[in-house]
């Protein structure tokens, strides 16, 4: 019996949560670490910031000096980022200061340069046109983190901001989880290598290139094993080779046709099946299984052979398994609602329908516009799409302006 779309999402995430997080780690440079998952807790090596830091160009002052009129102080120096004012600020004095510079000793606030002017008769005299309170335009020492405090936890995916934080605390070579090794098998007598010249009845191996890119984009290390013919013995041998990986993806051969052998071959390898079909279009013949390889449990994703279907199924289900293997919590697709730019009509089916669509407009006027596509093999439409429109079973027509559920494409 087919699982409903919502049931399948939940079952895949529950399965992913049951997988062990990889214990294989390596140290990489910050330049190589973007998108990797941190395998060690990182702590601040000193207070962050290490000094009271000015957040504006202006003048460092004692706030008490600007309570009463006249609001004028004597400028006794300048301090820029990377410098330090050697003296101590006394009553009635100020120091010109630049953004990022340390506050001089004795100062407790910074007045923005826009609220000051120089005396026409004495360049050392600064006139202040606005009051100030202690702490204004200053980030206090250790306001962001105390020395020794944790700043990045284990399991965080390293994005540019987090890499900047690692650099700021001196973590030049972080310990990260090794990328999951993913083997991709494409099946079909009609499939030829990308660089080949297909006969009229053949197609190029676009699925391997597409899924390799998707796996790499979402944190995996992909190994394409090339196309395998629709022969059970050849497929069994290829699967046995692929089980050396952390995750196996097979495209094609998962439906009920005469030459669809994937499920039978997986059964012969002792596979445990968690899903064998989802009530969705495209992507219905999706298989989630696992096969024992020594002491390891190797997840196997059986994806449809049609390219658009394969990418939809991987984007909705495969990413969750891959995220967990990479050391992250199981990923879940994020749905959001947008109004239709144009009417949408389709023949009602008993499945959840997914259709490639393009975003139109901006900001509060953002809408979604379905694309014409020629079924589950249409990579032209998928390449043009920004998102997928997700419609409930038995939906026949949706009026322009109505809100529909939308999800990012892989």
């Amino acid at each position: 019996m087919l699982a409903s779309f919502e049931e399948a999402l939940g079952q895949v995430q529950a399965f992913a949560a049951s997988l062990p997080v990889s214990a294989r780690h390596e140290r990489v440079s910050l330049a190589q670490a973007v998108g990797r998952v941190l395998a060690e807790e990182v702590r601040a090596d000193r207070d962050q910031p290490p000094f009271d830091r000015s957040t504006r160009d202006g003048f460092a002052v004692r706030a008490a000096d600007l309570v009463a009129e006249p609001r004028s102080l004597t400028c006794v120096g300048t301090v820029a980022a990377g410098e330090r004012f050697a003296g101590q600020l006394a009553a009635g004095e100020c120091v010109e200061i630049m953004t990022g510079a340390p506050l001089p000793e004795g100062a407790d606030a910074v007045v923005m340069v826009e609220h000051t002017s120089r005396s026409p008769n004495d360049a050392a005299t600064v006139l202040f046109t606005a009051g100030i309170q202690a702490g204004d335009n200053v980030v206090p020492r250790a306001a962001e983190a105390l020395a020794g405090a944790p700043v990045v936890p284990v399991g965080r995916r390293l994005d540019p901001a987090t890499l900047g934080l690692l650099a700021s605390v001196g973590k030049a070579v972080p310990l990260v989880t090794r990328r999951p090794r993913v083997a991709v098998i494409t099946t079909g007598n009609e499939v030829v290598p990308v660089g080949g010249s297909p006969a009229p009845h053949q197609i190029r191996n676009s699925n391997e290139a597409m899924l390799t890119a998707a796996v790499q984009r979402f944190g995996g290390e992909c190994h394409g094993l090339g196309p395998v013919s629709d022969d059970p013995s050849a497929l069994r041998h290829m699967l046995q080779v692929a089980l050396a990986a952390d995750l196996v993806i097979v495209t094609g051969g998962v439906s009920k046709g005469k030459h669809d052998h994937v499920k039978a071959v997986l059964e012969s390898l002792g596979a445990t099946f968690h899903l064998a079909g989802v009530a969705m279009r495209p992507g219905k013949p999706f298989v989630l299984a696992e096969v024992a390889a020594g002491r390891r449990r190797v997840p196997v994703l059986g994806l449809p052979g049609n390219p658009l279907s394969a990418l939809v199924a991987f984007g909705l289900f495969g990413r969750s398994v891959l995220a967990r293997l990479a050391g992250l919590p199981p990923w879940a697709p994020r749905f959001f609602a947008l109004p239709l730019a144009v009417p949408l009509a389709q023949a009602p089916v008993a499945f959840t329908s997914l259709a490639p669509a393009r975003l139109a407009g901006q900001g509060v006027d953002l809408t979604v516009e379905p694309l014409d596509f020629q079924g589950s093999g249409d990579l032209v439409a998928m390449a043009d799409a920004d998102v997928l429109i997700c419609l409930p079973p038995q939906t026949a027509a949706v009026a322009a302006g109505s809100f529909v559920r939308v999800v990012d494409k892989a």
Side-chain angles (χ1 to χ4, degrees):
M1 181 177 178
L2 295 177
S4 73
F5 180 66
E6 306 298 340
E7 288 171 344
L9 289 173
Q11 289 177 31
V12 170
Q13 289 157 33
F15 170 78
S18 74
L19 295 172
V21 175
S22 173
R24 298 178 303 121
H25 304 144
E26 62 183 344
R27 290 198 178 273
V28 298
S29 69
L30 291 179
Q32 299 171 315
V34 66
R36 304 297 291 272
V37 178
L38 194 64
E40 63 178 342
E41 182 182 67
V42 174
R43 295 175 176 267
D45 65 332
R46 58 178 182 164
D47 291 342
Q48 293 286 326
F51 47 78
D52 294 341
R53 184 180 66 214
S54 174
T55 64
R56 298 287 189 273
D57 292 335
F59 291 88
V61 301
R62 292 157 34 107
D65 286 341
L66 297 179
V67 172
E69 301 288 352
R71 291 178 176 171
S72 63
L73 301 173
T74 300
C75 185
V76 295
T78 300
V79 60
E83 300 176 350
R84 191 171 191 87
F85 184 73
Q88 179 168 348
L89 205 63
E93 295 179 340
C94 64
V95 170
E96 188 174 13
I97 193 167
M98 311 306 166
T99 301
L103 224 61
E105 190 174 349
D108 59 9
V110 172
V111 179
M112 291 188 294
V113 68
E114 295 92 332
H115 298 154
T116 67
S117 63
R118 298 277 189 169
S119 170
N121 300 320
D122 181 5
T125 299
V126 181
L127 304 175
F128 293 84
T129 59
I132 197 77
Q133 293 184 348
D136 283 358
N137 302 318
V138 175
V139 177
R141 176 174 180 164
E144 297 165 359
L146 287 167
V151 290
V152 188
V154 173
R156 173 76 60 83
R157 185 183 287 276
L158 299 178
D159 61 14
T162 310
L163 288 173
L165 177 55
L166 294 188
S168 75
V169 301
K171 181 59 69 173
V173 189
L175 185 71
V176 297
T177 302
R178 291 280 299 273
R179 290 190 178 97
R181 299 164 300 173
V182 182
V184 174
I185 300 171
T186 51
T187 70
N189 296 332
E190 75 280 15
V191 181
V192 300
V194 173
S197 298
H201 59 282
Q202 294 176 317
I203 58 173
R204 292 188 175 92
N205 191 8
S206 59
N207 278 358
E208 183 176 303
M210 176 182 70
L211 292 169
T212 295
V215 166
Q216 291 174 342
R217 179 183 180 188
F218 299 121
E221 178 184 291
C222 200
H223 302 278
L225 300 183
V228 60
S229 64
D230 291 319
D231 175 75
S233 297
L235 177 58
R236 180 185 173 88
H237 172 73
M238 190 71 81
L239 277 168
Q240 288 173 319
V241 171
L243 289 174
D246 302 306
L247 170 65
V248 177
I249 298 176
V250 185
T251 69
V254 292
S255 192
K256 296 182 178 180
K258 182 177 179 180
H259 299 291
D260 292 327
H261 304 298
V262 170
K263 285 187 280 189
V265 172
L266 286 174
E267 287 174 352
S268 75
L269 293 172
T272 299
F273 288 84
H274 298 274
L275 273 174
V278 182
M280 57 184 279
R281 186 185 69 175
K284 173 186 171 186
F286 170 76
V287 170
L288 173 63
E290 59 183 329
V291 178
R295 296 182 179 181
R296 298 184 305 122
R297 299 162 52 201
V298 181
V300 179
L301 304 178
L303 306 182
N306 282 318
L308 189 150
S309 294
L311 191 58
V312 167
F314 177 81
L316 291 169
F317 304 126
R319 281 184 64 182
S320 186
V321 176
L322 183 60
R324 178 63 175 176
L325 293 174
L328 295 167
W331 177 88
R334 290 178 292 185
F335 295 89
F336 51 100
L338 284 176
L340 273 175
V342 297
L344 185 154
Q346 64 174 20
V349 293
F351 305 145
T352 296
S353 299
L354 296 128
R358 184 182 294 121
L359 298 176
Q362 295 180 350
V364 296
D365 297 320
L366 189 65
T367 61
V368 62
E369 182 177 349
L371 296 171
D372 290 331
F373 77 107
Q374 307 305 312
S376 56
D378 191 347
L379 274 182
V380 174
M382 195 61 164
D384 285 343
D386 301 308
V387 294
L388 299 169
I389 293 174
C390 180
L391 298 176
Q394 304 300 343
T395 300
V398 185
S402 299
F403 279 80
V404 291
R405 192 160 65 145
V406 172
V407 66
D408 287 326
K409 72 169 189 176

